[in-house]
Amino acid sequence: MLNVFLAFLKIGFLGFGGGYAMLSLIFAESARFGLSVQQFADLTALDGLIPGPIAINSATYIGQMYGGFWTGVAATLAVSVPSMIFVPLYMHFETRIKNNWLLSAILNGIKPAAVGLILAVALSLLLTTVFGINDIFSLAQAHVDWVSIVVLVLVLGLDLKWHTNPVLLMLLAGVIGAVAFYL
Amino acid sequence: MRKNWLLFKIYLLAGTLTFSGGMAMLPTIERVVVNKYHLMSRADLYEYSTLSQTLPGVIALTNACFIGKKVNGRSGMIFAGLGAVLPAFVLMSLATTAYQLVPKEGIALSILGAIRAASAAFLFSAAYSLARYNLSDKLSVLLALGCFLLTVLSVASAPTLIIGAAVVGITSTFVKRQRDQKKG
């Protein structure tokens, strides 16, 4: 439980720039807690279905999967710690930090980095779901799952073009999966 | 104490009704905190919201903490923060329990497989919209590409790259400031 707490503490303090930046950190740590890429993909789906910030949802899921309910509580608390520390600190030193260029300079670096990091996570999920391999080095063993390709292209297209409701898109994916089972 | 419960209730409701985190909550919060209960000015709310996005941590929670602390000090911060976290935690804990009960075979696995492919699609879409807003110059494109390649080739881990990117951001901003100062 302590390991989970410390991991999510680290994720919280390095978690600049929002949920998706944090999600790549969470992905990097999740393997350490016995989470497969498939289970991480399921987490991403649940993130979309359940209300609330991605980081809180993910901490709850990973903690609970790893060590039960209370480990989920510990992970959620840990990822909440930075807010509880920085807010009082900021309000105490308000005038001195107000014109601080450092914070925005850090974000100038992290925000573009987050694009690359989340793209790498997306590729990881693509390799696992569509090609059945765990990393780019095992491309030789890849075997294509056509149902997954159809779902991926369809969902990506609908999401980018018409911003279709993600819950609806997941339902659509589920229906395709069910139909494919009988084909 | 009445203010604390009010803060708790406001964030509990907003947290239950908003699907993603970050600033998705802001319109609801603005309507209740500023228009209905007059707990703070709109300008203050916007300032804290902008700030929440620059500090490390969960943005929606940081924002709740700022508003809570401003309205009712440290206890206000705790109550607002709890209200913001609780729905996400409780609902996700229930969902995880349900998920663990789903058999991972037969038709359920086939459905799950398709949903996993949809998850991959959502992440590609997220990367695309983040790229549109955040890749504005050569350096940012280089940073994104570098982080992508180093992760895919498992050269460096995400935490290392985040710290590295922060250093690059500080250095480039520092250099720019120096140049601007020399100019005038």
Side-chain angles (χ1 to χ4, degrees), chain A residues 39-180:
Chain A
Q39 285 169 324
F40 184 83
D42 297 340
L43 164 64
T44 310
L46 286 176
D47 273 337
L49 289 173
I50 305 297
I54 291 176
I56 303 283
N57 287 158
S58 307
T60 309
Y61 173 89
I62 291 180
Q64 193 168 327
M65 292 283 280
Y66 180 68
F69 178 80
W70 290 107
T71 313
V73 175
T76 308
L77 276 179
V79 85
S80 307
V81 165
S83 310
M84 299 279 178
I85 290 180
F86 284 115
V87 168
L89 232 109
Y90 180 87
M91 286 185 129
H92 193 75
F93 297 105
E94 190 149 12
T95 44
R96 252 186 286 173
I97 314 181
K98 206 152 214 170
N99 294 315
N100 196 320
W101 60 275
L102 257 178
L103 275 174
S104 61
I106 289 175
L107 274 174
N108 279 345
I110 289 182
K111 279 193 166 168
V115 176
L117 290 172
I118 203 66
L119 194 62
V121 178
L123 182 71
S124 247
L125 258 59
L126 170 86
L127 290 176
T128 309
T129 55
V130 175
F131 297 106
I133 50 177
N134 284 326
D135 51 56
I136 201 118
F137 305 113
S138 24
L139 265 179
Q141 291 131 40
H143 51 86
V144 178
D145 179 33
W146 291 104
V147 178
S148 298
I149 290 201
V150 169
V151 171
L152 200 148
V153 172
L154 191 68
V155 169
L156 190 61
L158 287 172
D159 191 33
L160 287 178
K161 190 109 205 259
W162 287 295
H163 302 287
T164 312
N165 186 309
V167 179
L168 218 66
L169 288 175
M170 260 182 270
L171 219 66
L172 177 71
V175 170
I176 295 176
V179 171

Side-chain angles (χ1 to χ4, degrees), chain B residues 57-77:
Chain B
V58 185
I59 293 175
L61 175 63
T62 305
N63 196 33
C65 288
F66 268 126
I67 312 294
K69 185 136 199 316
K70 179 83 181 174
V71 170
N72 208 21
R74 188 149 294 190
S75 67
M77 176 180 103

